[in-house]
Amino acid sequence: MNKSTIWLTIFSAVLIWSGIEPKDSFTWFLEVAPALIALPILFFTRKRFPLTSLAYVLILIHAVILMVGGHYTYAEVPLFDWIADWMGSERNNYDKVGHFAQGFIPALLAREVFLRLALVKPGAWCHFLVCCFALALSAFYELIEWWVALMTGEDAEAFLGTQGYVWDTQSDMGMALVGAIASILLLSRWHNRLLANLRR
């Protein structure tokens, strides 16, 4: 079984589990939609613009995070209910994991595209633009949540996942920025080696 088959098997298995009796079908669709959109894009670019193995693994992790959040809704993931109880908090913070990933993983993908297409050289400007991309993506996602809420009213409450926190939008974008910075600090050297191998 090759890596692509393993990747697709995990993706499909989690997607099927996620779609079986989700907490809220409308929220499930909204949450897993980015993963479903990414799948054909990855398929059609796999030969013309194959990504590093690290990028594919991170995309799969992000898809799983979305599917788990879609199945339970982000405010009701059981493990994070337990963590909230243990910490004496009333808030389920699984959505913050999702928004951290929303910065951490797209940051690496942006870095890969920027460097491979020679849009920017490695270094400080690359890091800055990667963070800008992650923040822009996070802000655009918050706008999508707002538009969905305007169009559907109360049906979007589980999708928004604010849980009564007035600064939820700002903290979501803050987590994405933290994720992007962490991605740069933790993965840049490893990513450089993988990019060099890909060029060869």
Side-chain angles (χ1 to χ4, degrees), residues 119-137:
L119 300 177
V120 63
K121 294 180 180 179
W125 273 108
C126 181
H127 296 163
F128 173 72
L129 292 173
V130 162
C131 287
C132 288
F133 175 83
L135 273 176
L137 182 65

Side-chain angles (χ1 to χ4, degrees), residues 99 102-103 106 132-145 169-177:
H99 284 281
Q102 193 181 66
C132 288
F133 175 83
L135 273 176
L137 182 65
S138 178
F140 183 63
Y141 194 80
E142 295 298 328
L143 288 174
I144 291 173
E145 288 184 343
T169 298
Q170 291 82 358
S171 65
D172 287 348
M173 290 188 287
M175 287 302 295
L177 177 59

Side-chain angles (χ1 to χ4, degrees), residues 54 100 104 108 179-191:
L54 176 60
F100 177 87
F104 191 90
L108 183 115
I181 294 170
S183 181
I184 291 167
L185 294 176
L186 296 174
L187 300 179
S188 289
R189 290 186 179 182
W190 183 15
H191 193 217

Side-chain angles (χ1 to χ4, degrees), residues 3-191:
K3 291 179 182 179
S4 297
T5 304
I6 294 171
W7 192 100
L8 191 57
T9 300
I10 295 171
F11 183 99
S12 301
V14 178
L15 178 63
I16 291 168
W17 165 81
S18 176
I20 297 173
E21 298 183 0
K23 179 78 176 179
D24 182 273
S25 297
F26 180 62
T27 300
W28 176 84
F29 172 75
L30 292 174
E31 298 294 2
V32 303
L36 297 176
I37 292 168
L39 188 61
I41 294 173
L42 295 175
F43 177 79
F44 288 113
T45 60
R46 72 192 191 285
K47 293 182 179 177
R48 185 164 48 90
F49 196 83
L51 302 174
T52 59
S53 56
L54 176 60
Y56 283 121
V57 168
L58 289 177
I59 291 169
L60 179 59
I61 291 170
H62 201 175
V64 169
I65 290 170
L66 293 172
M67 292 173 195
V68 171
H71 181 79
Y72 293 109
T73 77
Y74 275 75
E76 298 186 42
V77 174
L79 173 62
F80 283 76
D81 276 341
W82 177 84
I83 292 172
D85 291 341
W86 179 67
M87 296 182 66
S89 170
E90 295 182 358
R91 193 181 197 282
N92 185 308
N93 281 311
Y94 184 75
D95 68 319
K96 299 310 174 194
V97 173
H99 284 281
F100 177 87
Q102 193 181 66
F104 191 90
I105 294 161
L108 183 115
L109 298 177
R111 187 177 192 274
E112 184 149 327
V113 171
F114 289 169
L115 294 179
R116 287 178 62 186
L117 297 182
L119 300 177
V120 63
K121 294 180 180 179
W125 273 108
C126 181
H127 296 163
F128 173 72
L129 292 173
V130 162
C131 287
C132 288
F133 175 83
L135 273 176
L137 182 65
S138 178
F140 183 63
Y141 194 80
E142 295 298 328
L143 288 174
I144 291 173
E145 288 184 343
W146 175 45
W147 296 332
V148 170
L150 290 176
M151 289 186 292
T152 61
E154 292 184 3
D155 288 343
E157 187 174 339
F159 179 54
L160 290 173
T162 58
Q163 301 178 64
Y165 182 39
V166 68
W167 302 112
D168 185 71
T169 298
Q170 291 82 358
S171 65
D172 287 348
M173 290 188 287
M175 287 302 295
L177 177 59
V178 170
I181 294 170
S183 181
I184 291 167
L185 294 176
L186 296 174
L187 300 179
S188 289
R189 290 186 179 182
W190 183 15
H191 193 217

